[in-house]
Structure formats: C-alpha cells, structure tokens
Amino acid sequence: MSTPEFDFVTPIERRGTASLKWQRYEEQDILPMWVADMDFAAPPAVQKALRQAVERGVFGYGEIPSGLIDTFVAWCAEQYHWAIEAEWLVWLPGVVPGLHLAIEAELAPEAGLAVPQPVYPPIRQLGRLRARPLVSVPSEATDWTPYLTDATQALVLCHPHNPSGQVATRADLEQLAQLALERDLLVISDEIWADLLLDPQQRHLPFAALNPDAAARSITLMAPSKTFNIAGLSCAVAIIPDPERRVRFRRQMRGMMPDMNYLGLLAAQAAWQEGAAWLAALKQQLNANLDQLEHWLQDYPEIGFTRPQATFVAWLDLRQLGLNEQDFLEGGVALSLGEAFGTDGYLRLNFGCPSAQLDAALQRMARVIQTRRGR
Ligand SMILES: Cc1ncc(COP(=O)(O)O)c(C=O)c1O
C-alpha cells in the first residue's frame, strides 16, 4: 500500500548498511523478521531535516531546542489528550537506560520489582542487572496483587505490551493505580509503543494521565523511535511529573549518560511536528500486513495467535507444531525467540516491512511447517 506521498512498497536494501536487523544474517539467505525496527523509510519530513543537517556538515554537541519540547508537549495533547508540563521532561538516549535510571534513582538496594511475563527482554532482565528481586506477573492478569511480595516497591508496565501487542484498558490501568496507591509503589511505565495502536480510532491512555496520584508516582518513558522508525538515532524522553523524583533521576544520570545524539534531536522534532499523516498511512499498511498474516494463518490452525491491538510484532504460539527458532532459521526466516521474553515455544514475527517481504517470509515459513507436518 502506498499513497502518492508515502511509499511502503518499494524495498530498501539494508544489507551492508550497519543495520542490527540485517547484518546478523547478511551472508546467508535469511529474511530478518526479528528485532523491532521496520524496513520502511522514515517520514519525508524526518529525512528532510536530516538531509539539511548532513548538508551543513557540522555535528557538534546538541542541546534540546525549545521547539522540540513544544512539539512533544503538543503531541501528547493531540495524540493522548495528556496535558504535560515542559519541565516534567528529561531527555535520554534510550528508553532502556531510562528503566535502569528510574530503578537506581528511586529504589533501595533490596527493593523489588514486578514485571509482566512474557515481556520485552530488557524489562525481564532488570531484576538481574539491577540486582533486585523481581516477580513476574502473567501479562494477561489484570490484578497484580497475588504476585507481589513484601519486597515489591515498583511496577514496571509495558504499555502497550510487547510481545503480545495487547493494550491495557482504562479499567486495567485504574486497578493498577489503585494497587500502587494502596501499597505506595513506584510505577515505571514503558510506553514506547504508545503511537502504534492499530485501530485509528483508538487513543493511547498514558498511565500517568489517569489521575494526579498516578502521575505523582510515575516515571513514563516514551520515544519517537518505534513510531517513526528512527531507533538508530537514540532519542527518548522520561516524563516525570513529581519534582523530587525528577531531581533524583537527573542526579542518577550525572556522568553516566552520553549527550543526546544531535541528529536524533532534529529527527524527533520533525517527526512529532510533521509526521502525523505519515503515521496514519503507516497504520494502514500495518493493518494490511496483519490481514495478510491472519489470512496465511487460516491454513495453520495449530498456530496460536491473537491479533495485536498495537505494535508491529505478532506473537505466535508454536507449541503445538513443536517448531523452534532454529527450524525457521534453516528455512530462511529469522524470528525472535520466545524464551528471551520469558515464554518457551513462542516466536515473535516483526511484520513492519513491505508486504512482498512479509509474503516471502510467510512462504518460507509455510515450507518449514509443511515439512514438519509431512513427517
Ligand atoms: C517495550 C520496549 N521498550 C524499549 C525498547 C527499546 O528502547 P530504546 O531503544 O529506546 O532503548 C523497545 C524496543 O523494541 C521495546 O519494545
């Protein structure tokens, strides 16, 4: 699907371009459908801002321009109906460092975390890497209470949820907010996928937008990276309404965080300022790709699947087929391993690519499945 303005069809050669997704299997005939970036060019406005910067040719230290702050504040108002203050923002080179900083800034050494399972691997790894007790909560659970221990002092949300692509409802979030209030918990909400709710009528509801208490106990992490396919430009933002938490967070950053990537700042501003029409067109393409995937899945009822409400990843339950990552790699498709997300027997398929590439990957996967069935 393409519009005169935006091209989501023409393949872009990414081999030999220092791409994490493509370099790993560059020498082999393997389609990379794993790590979560898309094989689409960034919005034209982003490309233009970057082209102008490259033509100037000066890449000195960057500073947050007021235009970037204004444009993000406006984005939150327009996209999520969330009124935020400019001073709540702390800019970061990535969401993952923000998760670690939030924990170190706010939690005592023995304080524990609760995280959903399955979940994006760096969230699962927070317990081990920050040397803190971690409890896992089944990602479909709406009441986290039975899973918490006396040590639990923070909830880490992945909202919308990667890898399932499911979106917590207002009622789910309110239940979590009530629990956080009763137990005085910090809520670290990773909302990197906020803009990729696939129903164009559905609006993301930030946890912190629920009520003033939720805001005060929250650290929300967002970024333009998934939305506009600019993950390589290292730009993210923490939204910390409580001034004391903000001071502790900034203190934690001292000497530990690199300066913001200059090109990332320019790209983020252009994306939030001028990227809304591109994003709407992207969602159409992602929905078409999901339709294509669902159509393909009709031939494979053994594969468990719930259509994601958000993201560009599909979480496939392959336990009944007994096929694993290696089987599909040998068949020429690289998928993300379910185990890394905390659940064996699943694989995650990234469908953020031109539909011809998705089709090629699905054909290869079909051959792997048919070979297994024929045995
Ligand atoms: C839930 C979630 N958080 C964070 C990230 C990555 O964030 P960053 O690259 O900004 O560190 C991803 C990437 O897939 C993700 O899915």
Side-chain angles (χ1 to χ4, degrees), residues 100-144:
H100 288 260
L101 288 165
I103 291 168
E104 288 302 326
E106 293 298 300
L107 297 189
E110 65 286 353
L113 312 163
V115 307
Q117 182 177 6
V119 78
Y120 174 61
I123 294 183
R124 277 189 76 219
Q125 291 157 6
L126 286 170
R128 181 169 51 81
L129 294 178
R130 300 269 53 89
R132 283 176 167 84
L134 178 143
V135 293
S136 296
V137 181
S139 60
E140 63 282 1
T142 51
D143 184 6
W144 289 32

Side-chain angles (χ1 to χ4, degrees), residues 138-159:
S139 60
E140 63 282 1
T142 51
D143 184 6
W144 289 32
T145 316
Y147 303 93
L148 306 191
T149 69
D150 289 344
T152 309
Q153 288 189 16
L155 312 179
V156 184
L157 312 187
C158 184
H159 170 51

Side-chain angles (χ1 to χ4, degrees), residues 36 93-97 120 123 158 162 190 192-193 223 225-226 231 236 348:
V95 162
V96 172
Y120 174 61
I123 294 183
C158 184
N162 172 13
D190 177 339
I192 197 169
W193 292 99
S225 49
K226 300 287 155 197
R348 194 192 69 173

Side-chain angles (χ1 to χ4, degrees), residues 269-314:
Q269 182 169 339
W272 284 321
Q273 221 156 42
E274 297 175 66
W278 180 90
L279 176 57
L282 169 73
K283 288 186 188 183
Q284 282 184 26
Q285 180 63 50
L286 294 177
N287 277 307
N289 285 7
L290 259 182
D291 293 343
Q292 186 181 343
L293 174 64
E294 279 196 323
H295 182 74
W296 178 86
L297 281 164
Q298 283 172 6
D299 288 338
Y300 305 106
E302 309 96 314
I303 301 179
F305 173 71
T306 304
R307 189 176 169 114
Q309 298 168 300
T311 76
F312 47 78
V313 293

